[in-house]
Amino acid sequence: MEMVVVAPPAPSRLEDLKRRFFATPLQALLSLISLTIMAFIVWKLLDWAVFSAVFTTTGGPEACQAAAGACWSVIAARWRIILFGLYPFEEQWRSALACVSVVVMTVLSCIPAFWTGRRIALIWGAGTGLYYVLMKGGVLGLPYVGEEAWGGLALTLFIFVTTCLIGFPLAICLALLRRSDLPWISRTTGLIIDGVRSLPLISILFTFAVVLPFALPQWLQGDKLYRVILGSALFFSAYQAEIVRGGMQGVPAGQEEAAMALGMSYWQRIGRIVLPQAMRNALPATINQFVISFKETSLVVIVGFFEILASGNAAYGTGEWRFAYVEVYAFIAFIYFIFVFSLSRYGAYLERRMAVGER
Amino acid sequence: MVSLLRNQKVRNALLQALYVGSLAAMVLACVMIARRNLAEQGITSGFDFLFKSTGWDVNFSLLPATANDPYWWFFLIGIVNTLFLGTTGLILATIVGTIVGLARTSSNELARLLGRTYVDIFRNIPLILQVFFWYALITHLPTPRAAHEAFGMLLTSRGLYVPVPNVAGIAFAAAILGVIAAIALPLWLGRTSHLSQPFGERVGIQLTAAATALATAAIILALGRLPDLPLIDFPALQGLNLKGGMRIPPEFSALAIAIAIYGGSYIAEIVRGGFKAVGKGQMEAALSLGLSPWRVFTLVRLPLALRAMLPILANQYVWLMKATTMGIAVGFTDFFMIVALTINHSGQTLEVIGILMAGFLAINLSLAAVFNRINKAIALKGNQLRG
Amino acid sequence: MDSTLPSGPAVRIEGLDKRYGSFHALRKVNLSVERGERIVICGPSGSGKSTLIRCINRLEEHEGGRITVLGTELNDDVGNIDGIRREVGMVFQHFNLFPHMTVLENCMIAPMIVRKRPRAEAETTARRFLAKVRIPEQAMKFPGQLSGGQQQRVAIARALCMQPQIMLFDEPTSALDPEMIAEVLDVMVTLAAEGMTMICVTHEMGFARRVADRVIFMDGGEIVEEAPPEEFFTSSRNERTRQFLSQVLGH
Ligand SMILES: Nc1ncnc2c1ncn2[C@@H]1O[C@H](COP(=O)(O)OP(=O)(O)O)[C@@H](O)[C@H]1O
Ligand SMILES: [Mg+2]
């Protein structure tokens, strides 16, 4: 917590504390209650997670189960299945490298110097391409590993990245179509967007995974993984389209008129004038949408994919580690937390920066 | 021909026809292919199957259900389950969110820190992970024989056993309505009565109304009491099984707890945003009029904050309703799970997907309608306040 | 479209009709502007001045009548519209500079992507026109870092960089503080002296006196009066014109 108390005659520590936490009886009571709750939780948590916990695998599950605290040995014993699923053991370094490439790509695209349409597209294209080559192999002397063997964190990241990669351009298209002057186009698109938004994601994933094969010709069905990614991208794009459209509404009508008066074509106006400004307006909401959709990738577990949640279930679900579910879920929660928390902090930072630095 | 294509009106018409036409063609093609594929499996399209009996059972239902009941009845059960879980989760999440949100806006640093930690942790962990966690936790509770006991409730791996009053169902429902009235009436009276009324008198009326409603509820309960049984039915161990009380299955409680905690972290932020939106000027004005801090809060801050929150809250509630579909992850028979099971068992894919869409559209639209009404009722009149 | 052919007037408007829903914004407007002619349009707010000049480059679509610009008729032909917009520059009341580009980029983008000029050539042109509007030193700044008067001069330079044959001005000084109006008007006077075809909506009557060949008064979507400045200011025949003049001239 950043607290800068600028008071000319610096009060003594005690006085300062008293003023801040015990100014009135009510304040004092509140402080005491909060302090008690905090102390209790922190102590319990520390005791469970550190002091009474077992960290080594030497004793095996039995010794671990007997301990009063957390049994982190389950992570030590099962981290590979949680992170990489059923990916072949000797090849798991590839899976790890693929995850790193996705993380690097995400970090790079958070840097303002890369915020032009072309650079972002390049970064994401290259990152995803690298991921795909690493995971799938079959080239450069890497043994082939089919999608059905992908799993764990690596699969979660893949689904997230491809969802965004397909969903984002789709969102822009949908937003442009909905904004169109042609009434039939804008109304039909509006119907699609609102329809998708009114449905829960799970029902869309289920439809794409299970129902769509009935309704598509054989040659169009593709792998179940890619169908699910398509469904998730459609869902993402319906929400993101409204965010982009909101951003476009924030661009004054005069901007497009000026571009028209200069003789620019529709695509030049959109690409050079409207979208760059609209995306800047929509940036905080966009990051928020990324955060939400990262969390929502976890739903593919329901249509039977071995992503991190499912691999976590498997990590404790079989055999001797049945009791250690809390530790496994805590580990997965921690991984999600790192990704989601840093992304949402970054979003909040951008929002603040934009609110202050409005040119 | 070329000059025709350069004509803007012709171009526009062509573009629109092409777009709508190709979309329609795609949908049509999908439907045709699906119908052919289904026909090959001997499934005829149509809604006749709704009146056939299902042949399978649901694990949770507020309405009577057997495997002989027809599909339409099961869909109804699913919707009622969804609404029940949704409403429960929504109420719990609102309570959690209000408490945490108030902590986050409090003037006490420690309370703020506590609230912020809560939000930061639970907002950033996917809901389904939280559902899995609570489900695992509950199903790993001891067996009924070694049940934990707390406040007359029994916590077991087979579910949560809570004491219930031994009264007829109708009387119980009426009594619940009475309790709701006891909470809602004073609020409603407080809204419509005029500030010019003396404060004491106003509170008096509100208290009387609440007391009357509560007393009515109590009388209804007493009248509806089942003969020859103790007033409250406590769950207890009998042999190897638990008798008495009401069982709340682990699926339901895991979902309700997860939605309450996760949704609470979102609602806390909405509550905080609402309070932040109330201008300092208005509060200072109220304080300078000599109103006590408590009355500033109830008369100025809270009503204004509520108005700012409501539209966002409405969206959040719709989201929470849709989140009930996670029931399928732990096997709670919500509307979506019934849909999935029906597709599996009956094969009437297209019709059931249609029902699914219609169901969620109806849920969304009715929630939106309710909130629009509330919003209109409490909106500030006129638009001249903010220049 | 070969726009260098010097035949006929720069703009010819015949029987122009424009409606917004049931509201009749322009009624049977006729106007012909010769090449090199400077026209000032004035009239009370809501009289249809903006609508009229926005019809000339198709920012508004007209329902009735004919508009011919540089010998090309504005109709539903997409090619005609694009061609005309290239040859007609426009300056707006609120500048409408692109805030995400530097001043220089604002001036270069249209020549580069519309006229397909090479970057180096576009930059030379842009710098030349920025010098002409007397702000060459601001080239690398963003619009948000300039004063209103400077922004409007950039907007003029941006339009000139397309090397249009006709310039439209829609109240270019109405959004400016009084001390900045002069710097923008100066640029417009220079432009007029160089023989640019100009159609200006403005209430700057001093400017009208100095440079206009004709002053047009509009009211209720109609051209009420049309005369050379001397005649317009001294002996207008129409009652509405006289009333308007007494208001803007402050008598
Ligand atoms: N997009 C529009 N929709 C409806 N009415 C409009 C629109 N644009 C202008 N108008 C109306 O047309 C009339 C003329 O507008 P305008 O040409 O902008 O007037 P001026 O520029 O002379 O002040 C005004 O009454 C205005 O309200
Ligand atoms: Mg105007």
Side-chain angles (χ1 to χ4, degrees), chain C residues 20-21 23 25 43-52 60 170-171 201:
Chain C
Y20 290 113
F23 179 75
S45 170
S47 57
K49 310 179 296 287
S50 300
T51 308
L52 175 61
E60 303 287 351
D170 190 0
E171 307 204 28
V201 176

Side-chain angles (χ1 to χ4, degrees), chain C residues 33-58:
Chain C
V33 181
E34 294 304 319
R35 284 166 196 265
E37 203 180 6
R38 275 90 51 173
I39 305 285
V40 164
I41 303 176
C42 59
S45 170
S47 57
K49 310 179 296 287
S50 300
T51 308
L52 175 61
I53 69 165
R54 287 158 62 87
C55 280
I56 296 176
N57 64 353
R58 239 315 148 118

Side-chain angles (χ1 to χ4, degrees), chain A residues 27 31 184 197-198 214 295, chain B residues 37 107-108 123 266 322:
Chain A
Q27 284 285 323
S31 293
W184 279 96
R197 281 163 58 96
S198 75
F214 283 103
K295 282 189 282 182
Chain B
N37 283 341
S107 57
N108 189 293
R123 231 175 115 106
Y266 271 87
K322 288 195 264 179

Side-chain angles (χ1 to χ4, degrees), chain A residues 20 27 31 38 177 184 189 197-198 200 202 211 214-215 239 295 298 309 322 325 329 337 340-341, chain B residues 16 19 30 34 37 41 107-109 114 116 120 123-124 128-129 140 262 266 322 336 349 360-361 364:
Chain A
R20 270 166 67 185
Q27 284 285 323
S31 293
M38 253 187 278
L177 287 169
W184 279 96
T189 314
R197 281 163 58 96
S198 75
I202 295 178
V211 180
F214 283 103
Y239 279 83
K295 282 189 282 182
S298 50
L309 211 48
R322 291 200 82 88
Y325 59 94
Y329 284 132
F337 181 82
V340 177
F341 185 69
Chain B
Q16 303 198 60
Y19 181 67
C30 285
N37 283 341
Q41 297 179 7
S107 57
N108 189 293
E109 265 176 60
L114 206 58
R116 190 177 153 176
D120 275 348
R123 231 175 115 106
N124 291 322
I128 185 146
L129 176 52
H140 280 79
Y262 182 82
Y266 271 87
K322 288 195 264 179
F336 176 66
T349 313
F360 272 101
L361 212 62
N364 280 350

Side-chain angles (χ1 to χ4, degrees), chain A residues 251-268:
Chain A
V251 179
Q255 290 289 315
E256 218 186 331
E257 284 179 358
M260 262 192 231
L262 286 168
M264 292 189 202
S265 69
Y266 175 78
W267 290 109
Q268 291 172 337

